[in-house]
């Protein structure tokens, strides 16, 4: 490949999500990060800057800082 692909195809994203071992702590973390990137369209920097305080569990809302 001469260039970095701009995006993944839907089946590639599903494969990535499926291979996360959600029985482990690291796998759960990886799955959550990939979901934020793929399903919500967040940027890597936005996900990296996120803390637990950015999650309102009762309201089902995330605070995103960009």
């Amino acid at each position: 490949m001469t260039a970095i692909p701009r995006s993944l195809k839907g089946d590639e994203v599903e494969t990535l999500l499926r291979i996360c071992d959600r029985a482990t702590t690291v796998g759960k973390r990886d799955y959550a990060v990939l979901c934020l990137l793929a399903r919500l369209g967040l940027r890597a920097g936005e996900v990296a800057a996120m803390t637990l305080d950015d999650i309102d569990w009762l309201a089902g809302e995330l605070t995103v800082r960009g």
Side-chain angles (χ1 to χ4, degrees):
M1 296 181 75
T2 59
I4 297 173
R6 294 199 50 87
S7 63
L8 296 175
K9 296 177 184 161
D11 60 329
E12 294 170 322
V13 172
E14 291 304 318
T15 299
L16 265 177
L17 292 172
R18 196 171 38 257
I19 62 172
C20 291
D21 182 1
R22 292 191 283 168
T24 67
T25 303
V26 172
K28 289 176 186 176
R29 180 213 50 207
D30 292 348
Y31 183 81
V33 168
L34 289 170
C35 283
L36 290 169
L37 294 169
R39 294 186 177 165
L40 298 181
L42 298 182
R43 295 179 177 98
E46 294 166 337
V47 175
M50 202 171 277
T51 67
L52 288 176
D53 291 334
D54 294 326
I55 304 170
D56 184 337
W57 298 100
L58 295 176
E61 297 175 349
L62 294 173
T63 299
V64 178
R65 300 176 201 321

